Amino acid sequence: MTVHSPAPEHSGAPRRRNRRRALSAALVLALASAVTACGSDESSRYSRTCGVVVDGSGSAAASRTGFDAEAKLKATLQKFLSDNKCRKTSFAPITKVSEASKCQVSPLDLDPDTSKTADRERARTTMRAVALSNALKLLRCAQKEEPGSDVLGGLSRIALSKPSGDDVSFDVLVVSDFDQGDTDFRLGRQDLSTAASRRTVIDGFLTSHGTPKLSGADIYPVGYGMKYHTDTSHYERFNAFWTELLEGRVKAHVDTTYRR
């Protein structure tokens, strides 16, 4: 009687199936990593909208009585843009009639699209340098216009760049001593001695000049009140006026991080 041995098992087939499963799992992990990497890159992109307001009035000069707007721009602008992770950044001048001024520079994207192999931080640094160059051009243009300092008009002009929505951030660097002095209103001639008199002055000022639409914005002054740095009582009245106007009426927040 012939006994037939059982056919040998094809052990190679299970091994091939296991290899395919391992390869499939590795592919899934690779794809997941790629998606995560893309998502991470996008989430790291800057998104904040910012504004820069530059005072070109006579007091902006680099003189004993001026606050040297050029030096202050060079010292603070690029740091402000970096600290606040600014992306879309717009510019506005302060002149005698700020809203009607012909001085302007185009908005900038400070975190532009680049190739995957590009150094993104290097591109941002380059664009912040361009922003400084443009702000200095705006300053020089404003300094050539008729002398005057319509600070509120400059704020109203930059407010046109504020994104819609109360919960959307808008950071504004204002390089100015805030000494309002236009055709119709000179801050130095107003009675700011009491809270009641300041309220009356602010009422009339906003009625004649309009209220900047900067509710919820963060305003960072540079050069603020430098005209009064040796006169404490005058500075206190000046500061009370602008604090009530910007925070009480406009509903913005004033941040002193870059004030100097």
Side-chain angles (χ1 to χ4, degrees):
M1 179 177 181
T2 303
V3 178
H4 297 282
S5 300
E9 290 184 8
H10 297 286
S11 58
R15 284 198 294 270
R16 285 195 294 273
R17 285 195 294 272
N18 289 337
R19 282 199 297 270
R20 284 197 294 271
R21 291 193 189 102
L23 288 171
S24 297
L27 181 59
V28 169
L29 287 172
L31 288 172
S33 298
V35 170
T36 302
C38 290
S40 175
D41 180 64
E42 285 304 309
S43 65
S44 68
R45 297 292 296 276
Y46 291 171
S47 60
R48 296 177 76 89
T49 300
C50 298
V52 181
V53 183
V54 181
D55 190 339
S57 65
S59 59
S63 64
R64 186 178 61 82
T65 58
F67 66 89
D68 198 347
E70 180 173 343
K72 285 182 168 47
L73 273 171
K74 290 178 178 178
T76 60
L77 178 55
Q78 292 179 88
K79 179 172 173 53
F80 162 79
L81 296 173
S82 177
D83 290 349
N84 291 283
K85 297 184 177 180
C86 297
R87 184 165 186 178
K88 181 183 178 183
T89 302
S90 300
F91 305 82
I94 293 175
T95 64
K96 187 175 183 177
V97 188
S98 300
E99 290 181 271
S101 173
K102 294 180 180 180
C103 297
Q104 62 179 355
V105 293
S106 299
L108 289 175
D109 182 348
L110 303 185
D111 190 12
D113 295 332
T114 60
S115 67
K116 292 182 179 180
T117 58
D119 184 335
R120 181 167 298 285
E121 190 50 46
R122 184 175 181 179
R124 290 168 176 162
T125 300
T126 298
M127 291 308 300
R128 288 194 286 266
V130 173
L132 174 59
S133 176
N134 285 4
L136 291 171
K137 289 177 184 176
L138 187 67
L139 171 63
R140 293 181 187 114
C141 177
Q143 288 176 320
K144 293 176 182 177
E145 294 204 343
E146 187 177 358
S149 184
D150 179 15
V151 179
L152 200 68
L155 293 175
S156 292
R157 184 157 165 174
I158 202 65
L160 298 175
S161 302
K162 183 178 184 294
S164 59
D166 292 336
D167 59 340
V168 179
S169 65
F170 189 48
D171 301 315
V172 183
L173 186 76
V174 184
V175 181
S176 172
D177 61 358
F178 279 74
D179 189 24
Q180 179 83 23
D182 62 84
T183 305
D184 303 314
F185 184 95
R186 296 190 67 82
L187 187 58
R189 297 176 181 175
Q190 309 301 318
D191 180 7
L192 308 179
S193 58
T194 67
S197 65
R198 287 192 294 270
R199 282 195 298 271
T200 299
V201 171
I202 291 171
D203 288 342
F205 185 34
L206 294 180
T207 297
S208 62
H209 288 66
T211 302
K213 298 185 183 303
L214 290 172
S215 176
D218 290 294
I219 297 176
Y220 297 81
V222 181
Y224 178 89
M226 291 193 70
K227 180 179 179 179
Y228 310 115
H229 70 281
T230 59
D231 186 339
T232 302
S233 61
H234 202 157
Y235 175 82
E236 288 175 350
R237 295 193 293 271
F238 164 90
N239 185 51
F241 169 84
W242 280 111
T243 299
E244 170 59 23
L245 192 151
L246 294 173
E247 296 194 333
R249 304 296 185 91
V250 175
K251 304 301 181 184
H253 173 253
V254 178
D255 191 303
T256 61
T257 299
Y258 307 98
R259 185 180 293 182
R260 56 176 67 202

